[in-house]
């Protein structure tokens, strides 16, 4: 959970990119520590091995292809390490893969994922208030990035949080949490529209929500039709 709270981390004592460098190195360090502990857990209980799935296979294939691309690039060292401003080299994707393996290995039940989604959504709330505070203090500011060091980065984060909130609404059982997730989603949509203004994130959220709504209506109507047929069959059997 600490790793998902890293967007709140800013260290003003870092002279180079205080909003990016602390988060990057904290993520790498914590991921390596968690993965080592995860390997020790596997030595004690192999039941926590990641289950094979198409998603896992896709993640492994993507990271492998990206590794080949890194080795054959014009500047392999730059491709592997990235830069101070954009530490998004291949080393980041290796850490993301390790973190993904830990998540799918440890979180086995749907309720565990829902709890994690709650925490991730809650972390976005203080960031939204930071964005609002920046706008109040600096009214002329536009494309606010809060603690991310770039408006596009914050916009991508908001897009993920918005979609995650709507996804959680569908699977959350408690009415209070459904309402809470909806409020968080609406709040982040407002921040994305009026304070961040990342067009790519707008398009991504709009497209994903449209697809989500279409899929939900499709499966909901199909499930409703199946229930209606089952009800008719039950009536006929009762008459017989």
């Amino acid at each position: 959970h600490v790793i998902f709270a890293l967007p709140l981390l800013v260290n003003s004592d870092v002279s180079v990119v205080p909003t990016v460098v602390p988060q990057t190195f904290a993520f790498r360090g914590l991921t390596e520590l968690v993965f080592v502990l995860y390997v020790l857990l596997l030595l004690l209980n192999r039941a926590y091995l990641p289950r094979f799935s198409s998603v896992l296979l896709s993640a492994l294939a993507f990271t492998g292809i990206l590794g080949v691309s890194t080795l054959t690039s014009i500047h392999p060292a730059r491709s592997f390490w990235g830069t101070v401003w954009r530490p998004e080299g291949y080393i980041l994707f290796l850490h993301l893969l390790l973190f993904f393996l830990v998540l799918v290995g440890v979180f086995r039940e749907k309720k565990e994922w829902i709890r994690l989604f709650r925490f991730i959504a809650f972390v976005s709330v203080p960031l939204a208030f930071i964005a609002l505070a920046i706008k109040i203090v600096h009214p002329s500011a536009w494309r606010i990035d809060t603690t991310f060091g770039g408006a596009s980065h914050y916009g991508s984060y908001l897009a993920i949080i918005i979609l995650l909130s709507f996804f959680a609404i569908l699977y959350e059982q408690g009415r209070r949490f459904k309402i809470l997730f909806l409020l968080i989603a609406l709040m982040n949509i407002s921040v994305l529209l009026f304070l961040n203004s990342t067009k790519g994130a707008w398009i991504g959220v709009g497209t994903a929500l449209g697809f989500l709504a279409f899929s939900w209506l499709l499966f909901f109507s199909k499930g409703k039709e199946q229930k209606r047929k089952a009800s008719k069959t039950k009536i006929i059997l009762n008459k017989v």
Side-chain angles (χ1 to χ4, degrees):
H1 286 70
V2 175
I3 293 178
F4 287 105
L6 288 179
L8 299 174
L9 176 63
V10 177
N11 187 356
S12 58
D13 294 331
V14 178
S15 59
V16 181
V17 201
T19 56
V20 176
V21 172
Q23 296 174 2
T24 300
F25 283 99
F27 172 73
R28 292 178 183 175
L30 288 173
T31 299
E32 292 166 5
L33 175 61
V34 168
F35 187 74
V36 169
L37 295 176
Y38 175 64
V39 172
L40 294 177
L41 175 63
L42 290 179
L43 294 177
L44 297 175
N45 189 348
R46 295 180 63 85
Y48 287 97
L49 276 171
R51 297 171 181 170
F52 181 81
S53 66
S54 58
V55 177
L56 176 60
L57 183 61
S58 299
L60 294 173
F62 174 78
T63 308
I65 294 172
L66 197 60
V68 175
S69 177
T70 299
L71 292 174
T72 57
S73 65
I74 298 176
H75 199 316
R78 174 68 63 85
S79 298
F80 183 84
W81 294 107
T83 64
V84 175
W85 279 99
R86 294 188 178 275
E88 300 170 347
Y90 186 58
I91 188 173
L92 170 65
F93 290 92
L94 288 176
H95 283 78
L96 288 173
L97 177 63
L98 296 181
F99 189 47
F100 173 75
L101 292 175
V102 174
L103 285 178
V104 298
V106 174
F107 289 85
R108 319 288 288 190
E109 304 293 336
K110 184 176 72 173
K111 61 181 180 180
E112 296 173 341
W113 286 101
I114 293 296
R115 293 195 194 102
L116 181 62
F117 292 164
R118 289 177 187 170
F119 180 79
I120 296 172
F122 292 158
V123 170
S124 70
V125 175
L127 290 172
F129 281 107
I130 291 173
L132 181 61
I134 292 174
K135 187 64 177 179
I136 293 174
V137 175
H138 303 285
S140 60
W142 67 290
R143 299 205 67 196
I144 293 173
D145 58 7
T146 61
T147 65
F148 283 81
S152 59
H153 295 164
Y154 185 43
S156 300
Y157 172 80
L158 286 173
I160 294 173
I161 295 299
I162 292 168
L163 297 176
L164 193 65
S165 298
F166 279 107
F167 181 80
I169 290 172
L170 298 177
Y171 286 92
E172 184 63 65
Q173 300 296 325
R175 180 180 175 84
R176 290 182 301 172
F177 280 109
K178 284 181 178 289
I179 296 174
L180 186 58
F181 275 122
L182 179 61
L183 292 176
I184 291 175
L186 294 176
M187 177 187 64
N188 284 308
I189 288 174
S190 301
V191 172
L192 179 61
L193 288 175
F194 301 111
L195 301 180
N196 181 261
S197 303
T198 300
K199 295 180 181 178
W202 292 358
I203 297 172
V205 170
T207 304
L209 287 179
F211 178 77
L212 183 64
F214 175 77
S215 301
W216 184 81
L217 289 174
L218 180 65
F219 288 106
F220 176 77
S221 60
K222 183 183 293 185
K224 196 172 182 180
E225 181 65 24
Q226 290 176 347
K227 288 180 180 179
R228 185 160 49 244
K229 290 181 179 179
S231 179
K232 290 180 178 179
T233 303
K234 186 176 180 181
I235 293 173
I236 294 172
L237 290 175
N238 288 335
K239 289 182 177 179
V240 173

